[in-house]
Amino acid sequence: MAYYTNQYGQPIGQPLDWQERPFPQRESFVGQYCRLEPFSMANHADALFAAYSQAKDDRDWTYMAVGPFNTMQDWLKNAALMEASRDPLHFTVIDLQTDKPVGSLALMRIEPRHGVVEVGHVAFSPLLKQTRMVTEAHYLLMRYVFAQLGYRRYEWKCDSCNEPSRRAALRLGFSYEGEFRQAIVYKGRSRDTRWFSVIDGEWPQVKNAFERWLNRDNFGADGKQHEKLEALRIHE
């Protein structure tokens, strides 16, 4: 970041011609493999519970602030909160092949004044994991934030013990910024939080890598990728 100097000789940040950005809305976004829809109890709750229930155990909920949901009643209580919430703003991931919900994620800690938002509450079922839809769902939401809303910063945070989340953030193009020690208490335990971000100046490179990776030509007849997402960013 370039620094400027004020009339007192003090270094200051770059001046901006900046206006507050719009608050994210309940919109839908369609990709090649999935679409994102605003979470709806009527349209998504039952199918999502069934999708989450396909997991062999509850390990997917270890680092989540909520869950696990072992009964439909418990899940519906949480689903009602998801539907009513404006921040976090929850989206359901729909598999275009089956037209069924397979997971959800949310925009949260939304700050239109500063153009900052975080992606979180990422709850992907076994039907979604290890598919192209995972990458595309993140791409669709990130594209909405940067290209449509004009935000400056897109954040990812995770428990410092959550190694899969750390790897996912780096794969998707987020940069590691540091660790906040004893940041929160959840589920009766202390959490150190790792911070990651993508900023608007990085978005064009991240976007191009996403789109090249998601292109069907990047996959062989066996469904395996020809080039990794990380490699496509390096080659930009």
PDB file of all heavy atoms in Angstrom, residues 173-198:
ATOM      1  N   GLY A 173      -7.881 -18.255  -3.196  1.00  0.00           N
ATOM      2  CA  GLY A 173      -7.252 -16.982  -3.532  1.00  0.00           C
ATOM      3  C   GLY A 173      -7.160 -15.983  -2.400  1.00  0.00           C
ATOM      4  O   GLY A 173      -6.730 -14.846  -2.613  1.00  0.00           O
ATOM      5  N   PHE A 174      -7.556 -16.380  -1.196  1.00  0.00           N
ATOM      6  CA  PHE A 174      -7.442 -15.486  -0.047  1.00  0.00           C
ATOM      7  C   PHE A 174      -5.986 -15.426   0.425  1.00  0.00           C
ATOM      8  O   PHE A 174      -5.248 -16.413   0.334  1.00  0.00           O
ATOM      9  CB  PHE A 174      -8.314 -15.979   1.106  1.00  0.00           C
ATOM     10  CG  PHE A 174      -9.790 -15.819   0.884  1.00  0.00           C
ATOM     11  CD1 PHE A 174     -10.507 -16.758   0.147  1.00  0.00           C
ATOM     12  CD2 PHE A 174     -10.478 -14.741   1.420  1.00  0.00           C
ATOM     13  CE1 PHE A 174     -11.862 -16.623  -0.060  1.00  0.00           C
ATOM     14  CE2 PHE A 174     -11.847 -14.597   1.225  1.00  0.00           C
ATOM     15  CZ  PHE A 174     -12.536 -15.539   0.486  1.00  0.00           C
ATOM     16  N   SER A 175      -5.592 -14.285   0.954  1.00  0.00           N
ATOM     17  CA  SER A 175      -4.265 -14.108   1.535  1.00  0.00           C
ATOM     18  C   SER A 175      -4.363 -14.157   3.055  1.00  0.00           C
ATOM     19  O   SER A 175      -5.265 -13.550   3.650  1.00  0.00           O
ATOM     20  CB  SER A 175      -3.667 -12.756   1.121  1.00  0.00           C
ATOM     21  OG  SER A 175      -3.461 -12.715  -0.279  1.00  0.00           O
ATOM     22  N   TYR A 176      -3.432 -14.858   3.676  1.00  0.00           N
ATOM     23  CA  TYR A 176      -3.402 -14.963   5.133  1.00  0.00           C
ATOM     24  C   TYR A 176      -2.890 -13.654   5.724  1.00  0.00           C
ATOM     25  O   TYR A 176      -1.884 -13.104   5.273  1.00  0.00           O
ATOM     26  CB  TYR A 176      -2.496 -16.113   5.541  1.00  0.00           C
ATOM     27  CG  TYR A 176      -2.295 -16.256   7.036  1.00  0.00           C
ATOM     28  CD1 TYR A 176      -3.367 -16.543   7.872  1.00  0.00           C
ATOM     29  CD2 TYR A 176      -1.038 -16.104   7.603  1.00  0.00           C
ATOM     30  CE1 TYR A 176      -3.194 -16.680   9.241  1.00  0.00           C
ATOM     31  CE2 TYR A 176      -0.847 -16.245   8.965  1.00  0.00           C
ATOM     32  CZ  TYR A 176      -1.924 -16.529   9.782  1.00  0.00           C
ATOM     33  OH  TYR A 176      -1.742 -16.662  11.132  1.00  0.00           O
ATOM     34  N   GLU A 177      -3.588 -13.150   6.733  1.00  0.00           N
ATOM     35  CA  GLU A 177      -3.229 -11.865   7.319  1.00  0.00           C
ATOM     36  C   GLU A 177      -2.744 -11.957   8.762  1.00  0.00           C
ATOM     37  O   GLU A 177      -2.116 -11.035   9.255  1.00  0.00           O
ATOM     38  CB  GLU A 177      -4.432 -10.918   7.260  1.00  0.00           C
ATOM     39  CG  GLU A 177      -4.841 -10.575   5.850  1.00  0.00           C
ATOM     40  CD  GLU A 177      -5.983  -9.577   5.797  1.00  0.00           C
ATOM     41  OE1 GLU A 177      -6.839  -9.601   6.698  1.00  0.00           O
ATOM     42  OE2 GLU A 177      -6.022  -8.790   4.847  1.00  0.00           O
ATOM     43  N   GLY A 178      -3.058 -13.034   9.437  1.00  0.00           N
ATOM     44  CA  GLY A 178      -2.595 -13.139  10.809  1.00  0.00           C
ATOM     45  C   GLY A 178      -3.588 -13.872  11.692  1.00  0.00           C
ATOM     46  O   GLY A 178      -4.617 -14.365  11.231  1.00  0.00           O
ATOM     47  N   GLU A 179      -3.252 -13.951  12.969  1.00  0.00           N
ATOM     48  CA  GLU A 179      -4.048 -14.707  13.926  1.00  0.00           C
ATOM     49  C   GLU A 179      -4.428 -13.833  15.116  1.00  0.00           C
ATOM     50  O   GLU A 179      -3.580 -13.167  15.696  1.00  0.00           O
ATOM     51  CB  GLU A 179      -3.250 -15.926  14.402  1.00  0.00           C
ATOM     52  CG  GLU A 179      -4.044 -16.920  15.208  1.00  0.00           C
ATOM     53  CD  GLU A 179      -3.301 -18.235  15.345  1.00  0.00           C
ATOM     54  OE1 GLU A 179      -2.878 -18.792  14.310  1.00  0.00           O
ATOM     55  OE2 GLU A 179      -3.148 -18.700  16.485  1.00  0.00           O
ATOM     56  N   PHE A 180      -5.717 -13.823  15.444  1.00  0.00           N
ATOM     57  CA  PHE A 180      -6.217 -13.111  16.619  1.00  0.00           C
ATOM     58  C   PHE A 180      -6.330 -14.119  17.752  1.00  0.00           C
ATOM     59  O   PHE A 180      -7.149 -15.029  17.700  1.00  0.00           O
ATOM     60  CB  PHE A 180      -7.584 -12.482  16.326  1.00  0.00           C
ATOM     61  CG  PHE A 180      -7.522 -11.211  15.527  1.00  0.00           C
ATOM     62  CD1 PHE A 180      -6.571 -11.035  14.521  1.00  0.00           C
ATOM     63  CD2 PHE A 180      -8.411 -10.186  15.774  1.00  0.00           C
ATOM     64  CE1 PHE A 180      -6.514  -9.863  13.784  1.00  0.00           C
ATOM     65  CE2 PHE A 180      -8.358  -8.997  15.035  1.00  0.00           C
ATOM     66  CZ  PHE A 180      -7.407  -8.841  14.044  1.00  0.00           C
ATOM     67  N   ARG A 181      -5.509 -13.958  18.777  1.00  0.00           N
ATOM     68  CA  ARG A 181      -5.468 -14.926  19.870  1.00  0.00           C
ATOM     69  C   ARG A 181      -6.657 -14.732  20.810  1.00  0.00           C
ATOM     70  O   ARG A 181      -7.042 -13.611  21.106  1.00  0.00           O
ATOM     71  CB  ARG A 181      -4.157 -14.788  20.642  1.00  0.00           C
ATOM     72  CG  ARG A 181      -2.915 -15.065  19.785  1.00  0.00           C
ATOM     73  CD  ARG A 181      -1.640 -14.863  20.573  1.00  0.00           C
ATOM     74  NE  ARG A 181      -1.514 -13.497  21.045  1.00  0.00           N
ATOM     75  CZ  ARG A 181      -0.650 -13.117  21.996  1.00  0.00           C
ATOM     76  NH1 ARG A 181       0.141 -14.008  22.568  1.00  0.00           N
ATOM     77  NH2 ARG A 181      -0.588 -11.858  22.358  1.00  0.00           N
ATOM     78  N   GLN A 182      -7.221 -15.843  21.256  1.00  0.00           N
ATOM     79  CA  GLN A 182      -8.355 -15.841  22.179  1.00  0.00           C
ATOM     80  C   GLN A 182      -9.436 -14.862  21.717  1.00  0.00           C
ATOM     81  O   GLN A 182      -9.948 -14.053  22.489  1.00  0.00           O
ATOM     82  CB  GLN A 182      -7.880 -15.516  23.601  1.00  0.00           C
ATOM     83  CG  GLN A 182      -6.919 -16.546  24.156  1.00  0.00           C
ATOM     84  CD  GLN A 182      -6.570 -16.325  25.617  1.00  0.00           C
ATOM     85  OE1 GLN A 182      -7.166 -15.478  26.305  1.00  0.00           O
ATOM     86  NE2 GLN A 182      -5.598 -17.075  26.101  1.00  0.00           N
ATOM     87  N   ALA A 183      -9.782 -14.990  20.452  1.00  0.00           N
ATOM     88  CA  ALA A 183     -10.708 -14.028  19.845  1.00  0.00           C
ATOM     89  C   ALA A 183     -12.138 -14.214  20.327  1.00  0.00           C
ATOM     90  O   ALA A 183     -12.856 -13.230  20.558  1.00  0.00           O
ATOM     91  CB  ALA A 183     -10.644 -14.141  18.328  1.00  0.00           C
ATOM     92  N   ILE A 184     -12.571 -15.469  20.452  1.00  0.00           N
ATOM     93  CA  ILE A 184     -13.945 -15.716  20.880  1.00  0.00           C
ATOM     94  C   ILE A 184     -14.000 -16.987  21.722  1.00  0.00           C
ATOM     95  O   ILE A 184     -13.048 -17.774  21.757  1.00  0.00           O
ATOM     96  CB  ILE A 184     -14.916 -15.852  19.682  1.00  0.00           C
ATOM     97  CG1 ILE A 184     -14.543 -17.059  18.804  1.00  0.00           C
ATOM     98  CG2 ILE A 184     -14.967 -14.582  18.847  1.00  0.00           C
ATOM     99  CD1 ILE A 184     -15.577 -17.355  17.717  1.00  0.00           C
ATOM    100  N   VAL A 185     -15.155 -17.163  22.368  1.00  0.00           N
ATOM    101  CA  VAL A 185     -15.467 -18.407  23.064  1.00  0.00           C
ATOM    102  C   VAL A 185     -16.695 -18.994  22.384  1.00  0.00           C
ATOM    103  O   VAL A 185     -17.697 -18.299  22.195  1.00  0.00           O
ATOM    104  CB  VAL A 185     -15.766 -18.164  24.559  1.00  0.00           C
ATOM    105  CG1 VAL A 185     -16.192 -19.466  25.225  1.00  0.00           C
ATOM    106  CG2 VAL A 185     -14.547 -17.569  25.255  1.00  0.00           C
ATOM    107  N   TYR A 186     -16.615 -20.247  21.980  1.00  0.00           N
ATOM    108  CA  TYR A 186     -17.782 -20.905  21.390  1.00  0.00           C
ATOM    109  C   TYR A 186     -17.745 -22.383  21.721  1.00  0.00           C
ATOM    110  O   TYR A 186     -16.692 -22.981  21.862  1.00  0.00           O
ATOM    111  CB  TYR A 186     -17.865 -20.654  19.890  1.00  0.00           C
ATOM    112  CG  TYR A 186     -16.930 -21.431  18.988  1.00  0.00           C
ATOM    113  CD1 TYR A 186     -17.413 -22.036  17.833  1.00  0.00           C
ATOM    114  CD2 TYR A 186     -15.576 -21.553  19.270  1.00  0.00           C
ATOM    115  CE1 TYR A 186     -16.575 -22.732  16.979  1.00  0.00           C
ATOM    116  CE2 TYR A 186     -14.722 -22.250  18.414  1.00  0.00           C
ATOM    117  CZ  TYR A 186     -15.226 -22.842  17.276  1.00  0.00           C
ATOM    118  OH  TYR A 186     -14.394 -23.538  16.426  1.00  0.00           O
ATOM    119  N   LYS A 187     -18.945 -22.926  21.896  1.00  0.00           N
ATOM    120  CA  LYS A 187     -19.115 -24.336  22.250  1.00  0.00           C
ATOM    121  C   LYS A 187     -18.261 -24.730  23.456  1.00  0.00           C
ATOM    122  O   LYS A 187     -17.724 -25.829  23.525  1.00  0.00           O
ATOM    123  CB  LYS A 187     -18.814 -25.223  21.040  1.00  0.00           C
ATOM    124  CG  LYS A 187     -19.816 -25.051  19.905  1.00  0.00           C
ATOM    125  CD  LYS A 187     -19.599 -26.047  18.788  1.00  0.00           C
ATOM    126  CE  LYS A 187     -20.730 -25.938  17.748  1.00  0.00           C
ATOM    127  NZ  LYS A 187     -20.559 -26.863  16.617  1.00  0.00           N
ATOM    128  N   GLY A 188     -18.128 -23.781  24.385  1.00  0.00           N
ATOM    129  CA  GLY A 188     -17.425 -24.057  25.626  1.00  0.00           C
ATOM    130  C   GLY A 188     -15.920 -24.126  25.503  1.00  0.00           C
ATOM    131  O   GLY A 188     -15.248 -24.673  26.383  1.00  0.00           O
ATOM    132  N   ARG A 189     -15.370 -23.555  24.420  1.00  0.00           N
ATOM    133  CA  ARG A 189     -13.921 -23.578  24.265  1.00  0.00           C
ATOM    134  C   ARG A 189     -13.415 -22.264  23.674  1.00  0.00           C
ATOM    135  O   ARG A 189     -14.166 -21.502  23.067  1.00  0.00           O
ATOM    136  CB  ARG A 189     -13.500 -24.751  23.382  1.00  0.00           C
ATOM    137  CG  ARG A 189     -14.071 -24.740  21.979  1.00  0.00           C
ATOM    138  CD  ARG A 189     -13.646 -25.975  21.184  1.00  0.00           C
ATOM    139  NE  ARG A 189     -14.008 -25.875  19.790  1.00  0.00           N
ATOM    140  CZ  ARG A 189     -15.059 -26.495  19.251  1.00  0.00           C
ATOM    141  NH1 ARG A 189     -15.855 -27.243  19.988  1.00  0.00           N
ATOM    142  NH2 ARG A 189     -15.316 -26.370  17.948  1.00  0.00           N
ATOM    143  N   SER A 190     -12.137 -22.015  23.882  1.00  0.00           N
ATOM    144  CA  SER A 190     -11.491 -20.807  23.375  1.00  0.00           C
ATOM    145  C   SER A 190     -11.100 -20.989  21.923  1.00  0.00           C
ATOM    146  O   SER A 190     -10.720 -22.090  21.507  1.00  0.00           O
ATOM    147  CB  SER A 190     -10.242 -20.500  24.204  1.00  0.00           C
ATOM    148  OG  SER A 190      -9.576 -19.355  23.717  1.00  0.00           O
ATOM    149  N   ARG A 191     -11.193 -19.902  21.157  1.00  0.00           N
ATOM    150  CA  ARG A 191     -10.806 -19.960  19.749  1.00  0.00           C
ATOM    151  C   ARG A 191      -9.843 -18.847  19.399  1.00  0.00           C
ATOM    152  O   ARG A 191     -10.107 -17.672  19.638  1.00  0.00           O
ATOM    153  CB  ARG A 191     -12.045 -19.851  18.853  1.00  0.00           C
ATOM    154  CG  ARG A 191     -11.694 -19.940  17.366  1.00  0.00           C
ATOM    155  CD  ARG A 191     -12.919 -19.876  16.476  1.00  0.00           C
ATOM    156  NE  ARG A 191     -12.917 -18.689  15.633  1.00  0.00           N
ATOM    157  CZ  ARG A 191     -13.712 -18.520  14.578  1.00  0.00           C
ATOM    158  NH1 ARG A 191     -14.581 -19.448  14.240  1.00  0.00           N
ATOM    159  NH2 ARG A 191     -13.659 -17.412  13.872  1.00  0.00           N
ATOM    160  N   ASP A 192      -8.704 -19.233  18.847  1.00  0.00           N
ATOM    161  CA  ASP A 192      -7.841 -18.294  18.142  1.00  0.00           C
ATOM    162  C   ASP A 192      -8.341 -18.265  16.698  1.00  0.00           C
ATOM    163  O   ASP A 192      -8.631 -19.315  16.119  1.00  0.00           O
ATOM    164  CB  ASP A 192      -6.387 -18.751  18.167  1.00  0.00           C
ATOM    165  CG  ASP A 192      -5.802 -18.802  19.572  1.00  0.00           C
ATOM    166  OD1 ASP A 192      -6.434 -18.259  20.498  1.00  0.00           O
ATOM    167  OD2 ASP A 192      -4.726 -19.400  19.740  1.00  0.00           O
ATOM    168  N   THR A 193      -8.416 -17.082  16.110  1.00  0.00           N
ATOM    169  CA  THR A 193      -9.016 -16.939  14.784  1.00  0.00           C
ATOM    170  C   THR A 193      -7.997 -16.499  13.751  1.00  0.00           C
ATOM    171  O   THR A 193      -7.300 -15.510  13.945  1.00  0.00           O
ATOM    172  CB  THR A 193     -10.174 -15.925  14.818  1.00  0.00           C
ATOM    173  OG1 THR A 193     -11.179 -16.383  15.721  1.00  0.00           O
ATOM    174  CG2 THR A 193     -10.788 -15.743  13.438  1.00  0.00           C
ATOM    175  N   ARG A 194      -7.932 -17.249  12.651  1.00  0.00           N
ATOM    176  CA  ARG A 194      -7.097 -16.872  11.519  1.00  0.00           C
ATOM    177  C   ARG A 194      -7.889 -15.993  10.564  1.00  0.00           C
ATOM    178  O   ARG A 194      -9.040 -16.285  10.258  1.00  0.00           O
ATOM    179  CB  ARG A 194      -6.613 -18.126  10.775  1.00  0.00           C
ATOM    180  CG  ARG A 194      -5.549 -18.908  11.522  1.00  0.00           C
ATOM    181  CD  ARG A 194      -5.201 -20.190  10.803  1.00  0.00           C
ATOM    182  NE  ARG A 194      -4.098 -20.886  11.448  1.00  0.00           N
ATOM    183  CZ  ARG A 194      -3.723 -22.125  11.182  1.00  0.00           C
ATOM    184  NH1 ARG A 194      -4.373 -22.833  10.272  1.00  0.00           N
ATOM    185  NH2 ARG A 194      -2.704 -22.679  11.806  1.00  0.00           N
ATOM    186  N   TRP A 195      -7.254 -14.938  10.079  1.00  0.00           N
ATOM    187  CA  TRP A 195      -7.881 -13.985   9.166  1.00  0.00           C
ATOM    188  C   TRP A 195      -7.266 -14.099   7.775  1.00  0.00           C
ATOM    189  O   TRP A 195      -6.037 -14.189   7.625  1.00  0.00           O
ATOM    190  CB  TRP A 195      -7.683 -12.549   9.663  1.00  0.00           C
ATOM    191  CG  TRP A 195      -8.532 -12.161  10.826  1.00  0.00           C
ATOM    192  CD1 TRP A 195      -8.655 -12.811  12.019  1.00  0.00           C
ATOM    193  CD2 TRP A 195      -9.365 -11.009  10.919  1.00  0.00           C
ATOM    194  NE1 TRP A 195      -9.511 -12.133  12.849  1.00  0.00           N
ATOM    195  CE2 TRP A 195      -9.957 -11.018  12.197  1.00  0.00           C
ATOM    196  CE3 TRP A 195      -9.655  -9.956  10.049  1.00  0.00           C
ATOM    197  CZ2 TRP A 195     -10.835 -10.024  12.621  1.00  0.00           C
ATOM    198  CZ3 TRP A 195     -10.521  -8.964  10.476  1.00  0.00           C
ATOM    199  CH2 TRP A 195     -11.113  -9.012  11.746  1.00  0.00           C
ATOM    200  N   PHE A 196      -8.137 -14.053   6.772  1.00  0.00           N
ATOM    201  CA  PHE A 196      -7.735 -14.063   5.373  1.00  0.00           C
ATOM    202  C   PHE A 196      -8.575 -13.018   4.627  1.00  0.00           C
ATOM    203  O   PHE A 196      -9.669 -12.656   5.077  1.00  0.00           O
ATOM    204  CB  PHE A 196      -7.987 -15.429   4.727  1.00  0.00           C
ATOM    205  CG  PHE A 196      -7.337 -16.596   5.422  1.00  0.00           C
ATOM    206  CD1 PHE A 196      -7.920 -17.160   6.554  1.00  0.00           C
ATOM    207  CD2 PHE A 196      -6.156 -17.133   4.937  1.00  0.00           C
ATOM    208  CE1 PHE A 196      -7.327 -18.247   7.197  1.00  0.00           C
ATOM    209  CE2 PHE A 196      -5.560 -18.214   5.574  1.00  0.00           C
ATOM    210  CZ  PHE A 196      -6.143 -18.764   6.692  1.00  0.00           C
ATOM    211  N   SER A 197      -8.093 -12.587   3.478  1.00  0.00           N
ATOM    212  CA  SER A 197      -8.903 -11.660   2.681  1.00  0.00           C
ATOM    213  C   SER A 197      -8.503 -11.691   1.218  1.00  0.00           C
ATOM    214  O   SER A 197      -7.404 -12.101   0.851  1.00  0.00           O
ATOM    215  CB  SER A 197      -8.755 -10.216   3.196  1.00  0.00           C
ATOM    216  OG  SER A 197      -7.485  -9.690   2.835  1.00  0.00           O
ATOM    217  N   VAL A 198      -9.459 -11.255   0.388  1.00  0.00           N
ATOM    218  CA  VAL A 198      -9.206 -10.854  -0.995  1.00  0.00           C
ATOM    219  C   VAL A 198      -9.631  -9.397  -1.083  1.00  0.00           C
ATOM    220  O   VAL A 198     -10.702  -9.032  -0.575  1.00  0.00           O
ATOM    221  CB  VAL A 198     -10.020 -11.695  -2.002  1.00  0.00           C
ATOM    222  CG1 VAL A 198      -9.802 -11.181  -3.434  1.00  0.00           C
ATOM    223  CG2 VAL A 198      -9.657 -13.167  -1.913  1.00  0.00           C
TER     224      VAL A 198
END
